[in-house]
Amino acid sequence: DEILEKGCVPIVLVAHSMGTSIAVRLAVKNPQISRLVLISPCIGPITWLDHLFNAKQLQELERSGSTIRKGIEINRSFLMALQDDMSSLLGKLKIPVTIVHGAADEFYSRASCEALIALIKDGSLTVIPGADHNFLNNGSRAKLLATLEDHISTFERLSEQS
């Protein structure tokens, strides 16, 4: 809010994983945001619960609505909120959107990212080979940072020309 109130523009909003649904909502509501970069977006149907939770935890989620994972209570309603249908919001975006996907993402497939791109008027997909969901393997963090730098500097050049 502070950045928006001060009128610092243009704003390139970069979000990762669960934060991407918040970023999309912000971008739709705030014309000061002029570009969106979604890294490993967690938007749409969740197909990865069995990767995160063991059988006992999945039963607890189903039975009581919550479970403990790595010492943190995870609420089923929180997980379901991640499945919000973002289709209509993605279609409302009038700014360039880049999705960065790790080819070895254990939660979301390339196909799910391609489906999101199809909903966006000015969208592009960048795939980083070998990268997992958090870009922690195979030197993928450096590749991610280089990709972000390239996208942001390209945007800055285009902004200066217009």
Side-chain angles (χ1 to χ4, degrees):
D1 286 340
E2 186 176 333
I3 291 172
L4 294 172
E5 288 170 11
K6 289 184 177 183
C8 300
V9 290
I11 296 172
V12 177
L13 184 57
V14 178
H16 175 255
S17 192
M18 295 179 197
T20 58
S21 63
I22 296 167
V24 168
R25 287 179 175 90
L26 282 171
V28 167
K29 291 180 182 179
N30 295 289
Q32 300 94 329
I33 297 171
S34 45
R35 186 172 188 94
L36 190 57
V37 179
L38 306 175
I39 304 166
S40 302
C42 285
I43 299 172
I46 296 175
T47 58
W48 42 263
L49 285 178
D50 56 336
H51 292 290
L52 283 179
F53 303 104
N54 61 36
K56 180 183 176 212
Q57 291 168 322
L58 289 170
Q59 289 172 351
E60 288 174 347
L61 277 170
E62 190 63 37
R63 189 180 68 249
S64 67
S66 67
T67 190
I68 303 294
R69 181 175 185 277
K70 295 186 177 182
I72 299 171
E73 183 176 0
I74 306 291
N75 187 296
R76 183 169 180 73
S77 61
F78 168 74
L79 293 172
M80 295 305 103
L82 293 177
Q83 295 195 92
D84 283 351
D85 182 9
M86 301 292 287
S87 302
S88 62
L89 286 179
L90 291 169
K92 290 179 183 177
L93 290 169
K94 296 177 179 150
I95 58 174
V97 178
T98 299
I99 291 180
V100 182
H101 174 69
D105 189 322
E106 58 276 29
F107 304 127
Y108 281 89
S109 67
R110 179 180 179 146
S112 66
C113 291
E114 289 170 344
L116 295 176
I117 287 293
L119 300 170
I120 301 167
K121 293 176 185 125
D122 186 4
S124 64
L125 176 63
T126 298
V127 178
I128 298 181
D132 64 9
H133 184 75
N134 292 309
F135 294 83
L136 297 175
N137 63 338
N138 302 323
S140 57
R141 178 67 45 108
K143 293 174 190 171
L144 172 63
L145 293 174
T147 299
L148 290 174
E149 184 179 347
D150 180 55
H151 282 289
I152 292 170
S153 63
T154 298
F155 177 68
E156 287 174 342
R157 281 193 307 276
L158 292 173
S159 294
E160 289 169 1
Q161 292 173 1
S162 52

